[in-house]
Amino acid sequence: MEKLNGKKINTAVFISGRGSNLNSLIKNHKKKNSPISIKLVISNNPKAKGLIYAKQSKIKTFVTIFKNKNVSEKKILKKLFINKINLICLAGFMKILSKDFLNKFKKPILNIHPSLLPKYKGLNTHHRVINNNEKYSGSTVHLVSSKLDSGRIILQKKIKINKNENQKTLEKKILKIEHKLYPQAIKKFLINP
Ligand code: GRF
């Protein structure tokens, strides 16, 4: 990772849908003291609502539908290279990047996952957490490695689950904390990678 030295890190955010985390990252990158500058938003879904946030802020977007993973990843790598991207933030990106992609990009990739990792890796986290009568849940920002949701943890925030909590209320509560957690984790990681 290159040193900060007051320079903002060119960042790409990958999304697949709603994009509320992207929206919070965009709001944060506009702040003077933000360590990142979001140069590119990538989506595997042409209908991802989050693309609107990028367009509203005049951030370049690139959509590739992963019909052929290898082809899509090659196209993405090219875009990352052209835009001199040094950091990727996955924010609700529903595709798993290949080992080959990670090896070729070489720079850090962060992800936000809505559970207290290493617990509840993978999909349907809120559903599983509620079914298991967990007392706590939360969200984790971690480095992406070749194993799903298993890279080094950068920052984690824990919340209490109420008695009458359901999947929807838990998701809403966790999203709210994620919108603060992701920018904080990026800062923490860039200051001390
Ligand atoms: C978030 O809960 C994030 O942790 C998970 O997917 C969700 C994305 O939500 N990886 P949004 O698209 O950012 O609103």
Side-chain angles (χ1 to χ4, degrees):
M1 191 79 229
E2 72 184 62
K3 279 255 165 69
L4 273 177
N5 290 333
K7 258 187 20 194
K8 294 189 188 245
I9 301 291
N10 289 344
T11 301
V13 183
F14 287 32
I15 60 164
S16 295
R18 179 178 50 200
S20 70
N21 277 288
L22 168 67
N23 189 26
S24 102
L25 291 178
I26 291 176
K27 282 187 184 153
N28 274 279
H29 101 133
K30 288 181 180 164
K31 293 182 184 162
K32 224 179 163 186
N33 63 354
S34 163
I36 62 163
S37 172
I38 301 172
K39 298 286 185 197
L40 186 61
V41 170
I42 289 182
S43 173
N44 66 301
N45 171 12
K47 291 194 179 130
K49 280 194 185 144
L51 287 168
I52 296 167
Y53 298 122
K55 285 179 184 148
Q56 280 169 348
S57 292
K58 302 203 165 54
I59 296 168
K60 281 187 218 166
T61 60
F62 178 66
V63 177
T64 176
I65 60 167
F66 278 69
K67 199 171 164 202
N68 178 323
K69 187 168 179 154
N70 190 29
V71 171
S72 282
E73 287 189 343
K74 271 196 179 134
K75 285 185 185 166
I76 292 175
L77 281 167
K78 204 170 159 191
K79 290 279 173 191
L80 298 172
F81 182 75
I82 293 170
N83 288 282
K84 302 190 171 67
I85 300 299
N86 285 317
L87 175 72
I88 293 175
C89 295
L90 306 181
F93 184 62
M94 301 304 284
K95 296 283 172 191
I96 296 173
L97 297 165
S98 70
K99 250 188 192 171
D100 190 51
F101 180 94
L102 305 186
N103 288 336
K104 285 189 175 135
F105 180 60
K106 291 189 188 91
K107 289 161 188 168
I109 304 178
L110 298 176
N111 182 41
I112 186 156
H113 183 78
S115 79
L116 294 172
L117 288 176
K119 284 179 114 179
Y120 300 101
K121 296 173 184 174
L123 296 175
N124 299 320
T125 46
H126 304 315
H127 178 72
R128 289 184 285 141
V129 163
I130 299 270
N131 270 358
N132 286 345
N133 292 317
E134 293 283 0
K135 288 204 171 72
Y136 296 93
S137 188
S139 182
T140 306
V141 175
H142 65 95
L143 271 165
V144 171
S145 68
S146 55
K147 266 196 181 166
L148 184 71
D149 299 330
S150 298
R152 174 162 61 90
I153 290 173
I154 306 298
L155 207 58
Q156 198 164 57
K157 172 96 183 166
K158 191 172 170 180
I159 55 148
K160 206 168 178 338
I161 299 177
N162 296 330
K163 273 199 186 132
N164 302 322
E165 203 87 63
N166 59 46
Q167 221 176 298
K168 270 221 158 135
T169 57
L170 182 60
E171 182 185 0
K172 209 171 154 195
K173 243 160 98 174
I174 289 186
L175 269 178
K176 202 171 164 201
I177 62 162
E178 288 192 322
H179 299 159
K180 281 193 184 152
L181 183 72
Y182 213 172
Q184 274 174 9
I186 293 170
K187 233 180 218 173
K188 181 174 181 236
F189 174 70
L190 291 174
I191 288 169
N192 201 356

